[in-house]
Amino acid sequence: MSRIGKKIVIIPNGVTVTLKDGIFKAKGPKGELEMKVHPAMTVNIVNEELTVVRPDDTKQNKALHGLTRALIQNIIDGITVGYSKTLDFVGVGYRTEMKGQNILINIGFSHPIYFLPPEGITFATPVPTQIVISGTDKQLVGLVAAKIRSIRPPEPYKGKGIKYSDEQIIRKAGKTAGK
């Protein structure tokens, strides 16, 4: 049995979940999310507990079992607590600022970059060299953070660029001087 798939998902107070026609919907204090459940998986909702059951032990169903349970848990966590990622800007003159809902990024290019948040994502800039991306959908928060980081990823010699706040950059030694 799948170690992740066999765990029970506890539905907290203030969260309502429904399963209709293969669509799992959850509504909580931070919003509402939904996902399509694979037809092979069965989701059982009893009182304040949710379990995912697979039909047999084929390799694909074992993989889908844990995946489905993890995605449902991410939805429950997102609508109750939410998700956030922090990006740091490392480099002289690298900074960011809020322009309404959008974010203005200056990272050494000849032009500033305006980044518009998709629906469900909010930006915050506690300091000019940091962006906090937050939202209810874990996948969307990670995708937006990866897109912003890809504008100028950190380079290994001086560490300049946009990096995750918990990311460790492995440094390389530069060229050594000749005789």
Side-chain angles (χ1 to χ4, degrees):
M1 189 104 185
S2 169
R3 291 184 200 170
I4 301 295
K6 68 181 178 182
K7 289 184 179 178
I8 295 172
V9 177
I10 304 296
I11 302 168
N13 292 335
V15 175
T16 58
V17 295
T18 58
L19 182 68
K20 185 176 181 183
D21 299 329
I23 304 290
F24 174 79
K25 290 184 182 181
K27 189 172 186 177
K30 292 213 176 238
E32 183 176 350
L33 290 175
E34 66 179 45
M35 81 169 227
K36 187 175 183 201
V37 178
H38 194 274
M41 296 297 114
T42 305
V43 178
N44 298 324
I45 303 169
V46 179
N47 297 333
E48 299 299 316
E49 295 180 347
L50 184 142
T51 56
V52 179
V53 181
R54 66 175 184 239
D56 55 24
D57 287 342
T58 60
K59 190 172 184 175
Q60 182 181 12
N61 285 340
K62 283 182 178 181
L64 285 171
H65 188 211
L67 174 71
T68 304
R69 190 261 177 211
L71 291 175
I72 289 172
Q73 182 67 55
N74 288 345
I75 287 175
I76 299 290
D77 291 345
I79 60 173
T80 54
V81 180
Y83 291 101
S84 68
K85 290 231 180 217
T86 305
L87 296 174
D88 292 335
F89 288 62
V90 179
V92 176
Y94 288 17
R95 60 182 29 105
T96 181
E97 64 180 274
M98 295 293 296
K99 292 286 186 183
Q101 296 294 327
N102 306 334
I103 203 140
L104 172 69
I105 301 171
N106 289 314
I107 49 170
F109 293 141
S110 62
H111 58 285
I113 297 168
Y114 287 95
F115 197 89
L116 294 99
E119 187 178 330
I121 297 293
T122 57
F123 292 135
T125 54
V127 293
T129 59
Q130 200 173 58
I131 298 177
V132 177
I133 303 159
S134 56
T136 56
D137 190 355
K138 185 176 187 177
Q139 183 178 358
L140 189 59
V141 168
L143 179 68
V144 170
K147 279 186 179 181
I148 293 174
R149 182 186 180 274
S150 71
I151 295 171
R152 179 155 292 188
E155 52 94 10
Y157 297 102
K158 291 185 178 178
K160 291 172 56 173
I162 303 172
K163 68 178 194 79
Y164 297 111
S165 63
D166 57 352
E167 181 180 9
Q168 296 290 323
I169 299 169
I170 299 172
R171 293 293 184 82
K172 290 184 178 178
K175 291 183 179 178
T176 56
K179 291 185 180 182

